[in-house]
Amino acid sequence: MDSSMLIMLAGGLGLFIYGMKMMGDGLEKAAGSRLKRLLEILTENRFMGLLVGTIVTAIIQSSSATTVMVVGFVNAGIMTLKQTVGVIMGANIGTTVTSFLIALNLTDIAPIAIFFGVALMLFSKKPSLKSIGEILAGFGILFMGMDLMSSSMAPLRDNVTFQNIVTQFSNPLIGVLTGAIFTMIVQSSSASIGILQALALQGLIGLDSAIYVLFGQNIGTCITAILASIGTNTNAKRAATIHLLFNTVGTAIFMIAISLGVPYVEFIKSISPDRAVSQIANAHIGFNIINTALLFPFGNYLVKIS
């Protein structure tokens, strides 16, 4: 990988993260302060907390942002630890929206979205239309960044060294560690999964290798909430720990199940046989939904362990 490829990759990643944030900010502005009020008011019931966590995270496009808010609410005494469990699980489901959008491969309409989005931001006087413009522009920038990342990786198809590195990801431990460490660095599971999907677009990685990296990415995304809990009270630190426990226990369950012969990878492949990008998105969605279904009844135990 030469310097020009690294520059393109870095630029694409920057556009991707900025577009994701811009889209999330626009959606958050459109919803006003109601998102935070939803988290404060509707989380007494764990099922409602799950729904709210999913919706809020799908809107702001970041499970890290949702869990950071949760840590802040616990620190301020607005939420109890038991209330956080459903929201944190919902946040993991809501964050899969980005990978699903990427799998739709809407790159061709990205420039149009940017054009109309910027036009609304510059020429509209209504705040609501400006927010819609921000959403459209962010959407387009996200896909332009994705396209740039994918293009930067195209020469790696003939690189034997890189191919050998990718084959190492099929080792569960290496795959999980790679996914976790990289996601900790970029502090966004959506961004790191986006890079994984960019590799898939170029035919550089398949689900057999990507699945363990994907598990690690779900663990790595917990770093933001953990950093946010530094200097907070004990219960706020416990809320961040619940997020880490949820993803770590879920990863352990999936890895054990796959090692025992549960055909999860084969099932995901059968849904979209010829599209590795969609397979990664579906595996991400499946992991978080199944993990939530398995651990939701044991929410109180997660609280006790934390």
Side-chain angles (χ1 to χ4, degrees), residues 36-158:
K36 291 184 179 179
R37 290 294 297 160
L38 270 173
L39 279 172
E40 291 176 32
I41 297 169
L42 299 177
T43 53
E44 193 65 43
N45 179 293
R46 195 184 298 166
F47 285 99
M48 190 60 72
L50 178 68
L51 182 63
V52 170
T54 302
I55 293 170
V56 170
T57 307
I59 289 172
I60 64 177
Q61 296 280 297
S62 173
S63 61
S64 298
T66 303
T67 50
V68 166
M69 275 196 281
V70 166
V71 168
F73 288 151
V74 173
N75 190 52
I78 296 170
M79 289 176 70
T80 65
L81 271 180
K82 288 187 178 179
Q83 286 176 285
T84 67
V85 175
V87 180
I88 289 169
M89 291 182 178
N92 279 268
I93 295 173
T95 196
T96 61
V97 168
T98 307
S99 62
F100 174 75
L101 286 174
I102 293 169
L104 294 177
N105 194 19
L106 303 174
T107 306
D108 290 343
I109 66 169
I112 300 170
I114 293 171
F115 175 80
F116 284 107
V118 171
L120 284 172
M121 289 168 66
L122 291 177
F123 303 116
S124 177
K125 294 180 180 179
K126 291 184 178 179
S128 58
L129 288 177
K130 284 182 179 292
S131 296
I132 292 171
E134 199 170 349
I135 294 164
L136 286 171
F139 173 86
I141 291 169
L142 183 151
F143 276 95
M144 293 296 283
M146 183 68 190
D147 187 53
L148 188 58
M149 284 195 294
S150 177
S151 299
S152 72
M153 293 174 184
L156 294 176
R157 281 180 292 194
D158 302 319

